[in-house]
Amino acid sequence: NKLLSVFLVLILMPTLINIFNEATDIDMVEISSGREHTCAILDDGSVSCWGHNYFGQLGYGTAANYRNTPTQTSSLGANRTAVAIDTGYYHTCAILDDGSVSCWGRNPDGRLGDGTSGADRHNPTQTSSLGTDRTAVAITAGYRHTCAILDDGSVSCWGLNSKGQLG
């Protein structure tokens, strides 16, 4: 007989947490919580994530274990910084300072938008084209899909479309 133990930690009231060393002068400017992971954009435009990392959704180059303190993601690209971020069901996507989108994590259904399905990405990976001369201005990562509002007001979505969620 094998026993399965599940440990839950419930914090029932808002609680201030110190996730960075108090000696640092780092501020978060945006935060998003997904399925068992959280990512934040820091004041220098870098991204740090923590929580479970089953499929590389923390973006630091591997899909192993979990982190209970913020871990900086791998490079977002040469001289690139994040300006918006959203976390979904085992994946994370960020809009970069040039309006492009980078995603990482679980990808069995194309939710990362890089033109592939089946291969998880453990590092931030540039999405395929958003259209000629188009850039993203807002992003949301869903259960098994992702959508972005583009600079002309149109919407681009990718990933699983089993219930019409891509439009």
Side-chain angles (χ1 to χ4, degrees), residues 83-94:
V83 298
I85 195 161
D86 201 35
T87 52
Y89 192 81
Y90 298 129
H91 72 295
T92 305
C93 293

Side-chain angles (χ1 to χ4, degrees), residues 77-162:
N79 300 313
R80 294 277 67 95
T81 58
V83 298
I85 195 161
D86 201 35
T87 52
Y89 192 81
Y90 298 129
H91 72 295
T92 305
C93 293
I95 298 176
L96 306 184
D97 59 328
D98 64 354
S100 65
V101 174
S102 188
C103 298
W104 56 95
R106 186 99 169 110
N107 194 38
D109 40 33
R111 71 184 84 167
L112 302 185
D114 65 352
T116 70
S117 64
D120 298 341
R121 304 291 184 204
H122 304 154
N123 296 300
T125 302
Q126 193 79 28
T127 60
S128 298
S129 173
L130 296 172
T132 305
D133 298 324
R134 294 281 64 92
T135 59
V137 297
I139 192 148
T140 184
Y143 172 60
R144 296 175 73 175
H145 65 291
T146 305
C147 292
I149 298 175
L150 305 183
D151 60 327
D152 65 353
S154 64
V155 175
S156 181
C157 296
W158 52 91
L160 185 66
N161 194 32
S162 61

